[in-house]
Amino acid sequence: MGFGVEGIAAASVDWSMYQVQSQYSTSLMKRAMDDMESQAMALIEMMGSVPSQYSFDVRA
């Protein structure tokens, strides 16, 4: 790749493609994290509704 107009244009296109790929992978990771968070919250809510045979405070 040279430093002429074609080289600058090619570098610009490469950089734009890199940005799009980076944004896409970041959005996929955020979506997966949101899904895991909602699953964890559902599990916590489900576990909160199960009666326990023990009556001591485990947060102390």
Side-chain angles (χ1 to χ4, degrees), residues 1-4 6-12 14:
M1 179 177 358
F3 291 108
E6 293 86 12
I8 293 171
S12 176
D14 288 344

Side-chain angles (χ1 to χ4, degrees), residues 7-60:
I8 293 171
S12 176
V13 168
D14 288 344
W15 179 250
S16 295
M17 288 178 63
Y18 169 76
Q19 286 179 318
V20 168
Q21 289 173 348
S22 177
Q23 290 170 353
Y24 179 73
S25 83
T26 301
S27 67
L28 284 179
M29 182 173 40
K30 285 181 180 179
R31 177 133 189 206
M33 290 171 63
D34 287 343
D35 289 344
M36 286 187 281
E37 180 184 15
S38 65
Q39 289 175 359
M41 292 301 292
L43 181 61
I44 289 170
E45 288 175 9
M46 184 179 71
M47 294 305 292
S49 65
V50 175
S52 175
Q53 61 182 350
Y54 305 107
S55 62
F56 56 89
D57 185 12
V58 293
R59 289 179 258 164

